[in-house]
Amino acid sequence: MNIKPALIVCGIIAFQLGAQTNPGYRLPVSADQARAVHGQMTATAEGWIVETRAHPDWPGITIELSDTYWDLSGYRAIKLDVRSLDPEPVQAHLRIDDSQGNGSNSHSITASVMTSSHTWQTITVPLYRSPWTLSEPLELNGMRGYPSAGRIDTDRVVRVIFFLAHPASTHRLEIRNLRAEGWVQVLDTKTFLPFIDRFGQFIHADWPGKITNEADLIAGRKKEQHVLEEQTGPKNWNQYGGWTAGPQLEATGYFRVEKIKGVWWLVDPAGRLFWSHGVDCVANTSSTPVSLRENYFSWLGERNGEFASCWDRGSWAPHGYYQDKTPYQTFNFGHANLIRKYGEGYYDTFASITHRRLRSWGLNTIGNWSDQRIYLLRQTAYVATVGFNSPSIAGSQGYWKQFNDVFDPAFRTGVRQGVARMNKQIGDPWCIGFFVQNELTWGSDTSLAEATLASPTEQPARAAFIQDLKSKYQTIDALNRAWGESYKSWDNFEQNANKIPDRDKARPDLTAFYTRVAETYFRVINEELKAAAPHQLYLGCRFSDVNDLAARAASKYCDIVSYNRYRRLVDQQKLPEGCQDRPMIIGEFHFGALDRGMFHTGLVPTESQQERAACYQAYLKSALDNPGIVGTHWFQYRDQATTGRGDGENYQIGLIDICDTPYPETTEAVRQIGDSLYQRRHQN
């Protein structure tokens, strides 16, 4: 037996969601199909109040159909509204299973949201990768999102699980309105290829602002020129973007931080209050791999003609289809569109108009990963990033890379060399400061110590850890008693690579060495950076997931602690207990939607450009109201290529699209925030 959605099913009345969506379908759930897991549940008119216990693995609610299933063929997503009934937010998850799903295979999908106290948030689990599906299977490679079949068997959904992941405390949450929403459009596989036009856009869809010919590009340039002439930027801003209507503080000639009446601020070189309202990847970054995928594209420029500069070779592919296919050929449609739009001297024109755009939109900072040909024009304040190479802890794990062995002398040498390459940015008053590395995998508060013990005997970090243990315990018998081990000698212990001790018994030593690793990491970078750039700020490493020990270490040595926070709000963002009092900066965040011909929303999905704009404003207001945050940097300036970058990311996350056209909804939202950000911040 299956339960097939209709306009009225089991007394559930469908409702209209908007002009471009289908009637929503409230999933019918009977009382015997829902059960609490590691907690209690109380039914409400539209859902349940869930009370979870502390410390179990996956507390929440499981809804399971025994001899029936939901047929959700053609629906885009399943959604659930959730809010925390406690003061503290918590990450909440929603998992959808088909009849073969078990949470760890391709028949399960999970999504999450950071709850907000007493404010409703929506968890959206996409059943399809994009708004389009194909009539027959077709292998499409090198993209995170693309037209495809359902991510699970959408005609046999049998289980919905709402849960928390390993909560450290009890939680009370309310959930409601479990529903399926949105249609997918079926495209004919036989006529699908090629699916990218000469401008880098999706062929099989239309949307407001889509470029159809070169005349559209020229018309867009002229239209934007009028806008930039009329809206030149916020009043009461100086050349750096500091607030001239605010107090005059000491002018040091460089950016610095200062806490004023309990609120952290940046102060610009002229001594004016400054809050960093910025955007990352301000560059011509939109190359896409074309090797082994040439049939995806209706046009690729001649290699020796007008668009020869759009061709390149790529080797960066840490994940995905191209990971083992380097080097590969790339083509940059964004570059080609600049040539068409601006003609001779196109990149200089692009750089100039970019600075004008940023000021017009109320942005005062060029963020990470940006082109020095643009930011060294010194018309907008900027941050720079220091990268370097040094040996890693062999036993460590990492999404982007393994963790540096900070006890290897090559670590300091690598940092010093990386800093030295910043010779154009060091001493530049327009440079706010330096990020060093990005989104390292810090793991749990024992992970780096365990990884060190799992490394070869010649690993410098391992030698340092063993020396710490010898200094503390003196004899191997004392170590054995503490750890519950039976090593015969220190030599026996040193030769036992890959043997991890009982975590509970060894925890004090594991966390102590983890702290030493983290503090050494930040201290060495601080010493090398400040030796070369004593007047500029050390902005940290842009934490993604991080534990308290690493955050405390960062607060000892960073001027500002940086986080990449892909959430709806950051009003609750704060440093953990035990940290030095330091300001924070958000190095990355974004929202995306799929109503402009793109295949992936990025990390925080929204339904439309209008909702995307509203989310931007809500996020910025939450940051401005947080006394510890001194800036936010949107990731990124331009959409990623429709067919993906080297690791497959193809997110609709730009302030401008692949054709250099600003998204009017989002840029207007950015402008409104920029016009009022200092007044709002100063009220705190």
Side-chain angles (χ1 to χ4, degrees):
M1 174 184 177
N2 74 310
I3 303 176
K4 180 70 178 178
L7 289 182
I8 300 180
V9 179
C10 301
I12 305 297
I13 301 176
F15 52 96
Q16 196 69 30
L17 294 172
Q20 296 184 347
T21 59
N22 67 313
Y25 167 56
R26 283 278 297 279
L27 300 187
V29 180
S30 60
D32 62 333
Q33 292 170 335
R35 59 183 173 86
V37 178
H38 299 306
Q40 299 179 358
M41 52 185 275
T42 304
T44 66
E46 293 187 295
W48 298 272
I49 292 175
V50 186
E51 300 180 57
T52 67
R53 297 201 295 267
H55 302 298
D57 286 345
W58 316 107
I61 285 183
T62 294
I63 300 168
E64 189 159 15
L65 307 184
S66 54
D67 57 349
T68 64
Y69 53 86
W70 288 303
D71 183 347
L72 302 180
S73 304
Y75 277 89
R76 280 277 311 282
I78 290 179
K79 300 185 179 185
L80 180 70
D81 298 330
V82 56
R83 65 177 177 178
S84 173
L85 300 179
D86 302 320
E88 294 296 320
V90 65
Q91 193 85 5
H93 308 267
L94 187 65
R95 189 182 107 195
I96 311 299
D97 292 352
D98 65 24
S99 57
Q100 300 180 63
N102 61 17
S104 61
N105 61 16
S106 59
H107 294 271
S108 299
I109 320 172
T110 301
S112 62
V113 72
M114 179 62 70
T115 66
S116 183
S117 181
H118 299 284
T119 300
W120 289 104
Q121 304 284 345
T122 299
I123 309 178
T124 299
V125 183
L127 299 176
Y128 292 81
R129 296 181 186 276
S130 79
W132 305 278
T133 188
L134 297 173
S135 59
E136 299 175 31
L138 176 66
E139 184 177 2
L140 296 172
N141 298 310
M143 297 173 285
R144 298 277 179 93
Y146 48 87
S148 65
R151 300 173 65 195
I152 60 173
D153 294 336
T154 57
D155 58 347
R156 288 183 175 269
V157 175
V158 300
R159 191 177 301 110
V160 175
I161 303 175
F162 170 79
F163 66 94
L164 307 182
H166 313 291
S169 60
T170 60
H171 290 279
R172 293 181 72 248
L173 304 106
E174 185 174 0
I175 60 176
R176 70 179 185 186
N177 199 12
L178 180 64
R179 62 202 185 273
E181 288 186 2
W183 288 132
V184 290
Q185 180 182 352
V186 180
L187 302 174
D188 187 350
T189 301
K190 294 182 177 61
T191 59
F192 182 72
L193 295 174
F195 63 93
I196 298 298
D197 69 14
R198 66 196 312 268
F199 301 103
Q201 305 167 121
F202 185 41
I203 287 175
H204 302 296
D206 290 309
W207 57 87
K210 185 177 184 180
I211 297 299
T212 60
N213 52 50
E214 282 78 355
D216 288 346
L217 288 171
I218 303 304
R221 176 182 179 180
K222 293 179 179 178
K223 180 179 178 180
E224 187 180 13
Q225 179 68 25
H226 292 307
V227 173
L228 296 178
E229 289 173 354
E230 293 176 358
Q231 303 189 58
T232 57
K235 297 179 174 58
N236 300 322
W237 281 24
N238 65 11
Q239 69 271 34
Y240 299 108
W243 190 32
T244 59
Q248 175 66 61
L249 305 176
E250 180 185 1
T252 64
Y254 293 94
F255 283 91
R256 59 188 173 87
V257 292
E258 186 169 333
K259 196 172 190 179
I260 301 172
K261 297 180 180 179
V263 177
W264 278 106
W265 288 89
L266 284 157
V267 180
D268 75 15
R272 295 295 186 176
L273 296 178
F274 184 94
W275 201 87
S276 185
H277 188 208
V279 57
D280 295 321
C281 302
V282 179
N284 189 30
T285 50
S286 53
S287 290
T288 190
V290 299
S291 298
L292 307 176
R293 307 192 303 172
E294 289 86 351
N295 60 338
Y296 291 10
F297 308 97
S298 65
W299 173 89
L300 292 169
E302 294 181 3
R303 295 175 185 268
N304 297 317
E306 180 183 8
F307 300 100
S309 60
C310 302
W311 286 94
D312 205 349
R313 289 167 66 86
S315 59
W316 181 79
H319 313 286
Y321 177 70
Y322 284 97
Q323 187 172 17
D324 59 352
K325 297 176 177 64
T326 59
Y328 48 79
Q329 290 290 317
T330 66
F331 190 81
N332 191 329
F333 284 96
H335 195 132
N337 291 328
L338 294 185
I339 293 172
R340 294 171 174 130
K341 186 173 182 177
Y342 299 118
E344 185 177 355
Y346 60 90
Y347 202 81
D348 290 340
T349 303
F350 172 69
S352 176
I353 200 171
T354 290
H355 283 288
R356 294 181 64 197
R357 283 171 173 167
L358 298 184
R359 180 55 71 110
S360 174
W361 298 341
L363 292 165
N364 60 14
T365 305
I366 293 176
N368 219 36
W369 318 120
S370 295
D371 188 344
Q372 67 175 5
R373 291 177 294 172
I374 296 177
Y375 66 67
L376 287 180
L377 292 176
R378 297 179 175 88
Q379 297 173 25
T380 307
Y382 67 92
V383 299
T385 185
V386 176
F388 63 90
N389 294 315
S390 72
S392 300
I393 297 174
S396 66
Q397 303 295 317
Y399 184 77
W400 299 114
K401 63 185 293 291
Q402 291 178 298
F403 201 89
N404 304 92
D405 187 340
V406 299
F407 300 99
D408 191 315
F411 174 70
R412 183 181 289 273
T413 301
V415 174
R416 184 176 299 156
Q417 291 172 345
V419 170
R421 288 191 289 269
M422 296 286 103
N423 60 300
K424 293 181 180 179
Q425 296 85 356
I426 289 172
D428 183 359
W430 288 86
C431 179
I432 296 171
F434 300 89
F435 295 109
V436 183
Q437 297 195 301
N438 177 64
E439 293 187 340
L440 300 172
T441 299
W442 292 93
S444 71
D445 58 4
T446 62
S447 60
L448 295 179
E450 292 171 355
T452 298
L453 291 177
S455 297
T457 55
E458 63 270 18
Q459 185 86 52
R462 196 168 191 272
F465 193 6
I466 291 173
Q467 186 57 50
D468 286 353
L469 295 173
K470 287 181 176 180
S471 297
K472 176 179 179 180
Y473 289 106
Q474 300 296 310
T475 68
I476 194 65
D477 290 338
L479 175 72
N480 284 334
R481 285 192 297 273
W483 285 19
E485 297 286 356
S486 56
Y487 294 108
K488 296 177 182 179
S489 66
W490 282 113
D491 286 342
N492 178 230
F493 174 73
E494 291 179 28
Q495 295 305 314
N496 268 270
N498 300 319
K499 188 176 188 304
I500 305 302
D502 182 293
R503 185 174 295 142
D504 292 333
K505 293 178 181 178
R507 172 170 287 278
D509 297 315
L510 295 174
T511 55
F513 187 71
Y514 186 107
T515 297
R516 186 181 174 198
V517 171
E519 291 191 354
T520 303
Y521 173 86
F522 288 109
R523 175 180 56 78
V524 170
I525 292 174
N526 174 286
E527 289 169 355
E528 294 299 326
L529 186 61
K530 293 299 183 180
H535 304 298
Q536 290 161 284
L537 299 171
Y538 176 21
L539 306 175
C541 62
R542 297 155 53 92
F543 288 131
S544 177
D545 293 324
V546 62
N547 62 71
D548 289 358
L549 296 184
R552 289 180 190 130
S555 74
K556 289 184 68 172
Y557 296 103
C558 298
D559 298 302
I560 301 175
V561 180
S562 52
Y563 291 84
N564 294 346
R565 279 290 175 257
Y566 289 97
R567 297 176 176 174
R568 299 280 174 172
L569 302 169
V570 286
D571 52 321
Q572 300 298 317
Q573 176 70 34
K574 60 183 179 181
L575 296 178
E577 291 185 10
C579 284
Q580 302 287 324
D581 188 14
R582 292 285 187 268
M584 299 171 290
I585 195 165
I586 305 299
E588 293 180 15
F589 76 104
H590 65 220
F591 306 98
L594 300 183
D595 55 353
R596 294 293 191 275
M598 296 288 286
F599 301 149
H600 201 300
T601 62
L603 301 182
V604 187
T606 61
E607 294 293 331
S608 65
Q609 297 305 312
Q610 291 77 15
E611 185 185 355
R612 183 175 181 243
C615 286
Y616 184 95
Q617 291 202 336
Y619 191 101
L620 261 291
K621 289 175 182 177
S622 75
L624 287 164
D625 293 344
N626 186 323
I629 294 177
V630 294
T632 59
H633 299 166
W634 171 272
F635 187 87
Q636 57 183 36
Y637 183 49
R638 172 184 278 154
D639 281 341
Q640 293 172 337
T642 312
T643 45
R645 63 183 193 181
D647 66 346
E649 283 191 12
N650 58 338
Y651 300 164
Q652 193 275 313
I653 51 176
L655 299 181
I656 61 175
D657 66 15
I658 195 73
C659 294
D660 193 55
T661 304
Y663 285 102
E665 300 89 348
T666 301
T667 54
E668 180 56 32
V670 174
R671 179 181 283 117
Q672 290 176 9
I673 287 291
D675 284 342
S676 61
L677 73 84
Y678 285 119
Q679 294 86 338
R680 186 180 186 104
R681 180 70 172 177
H682 199 247
Q683 291 172 0
N684 292 324

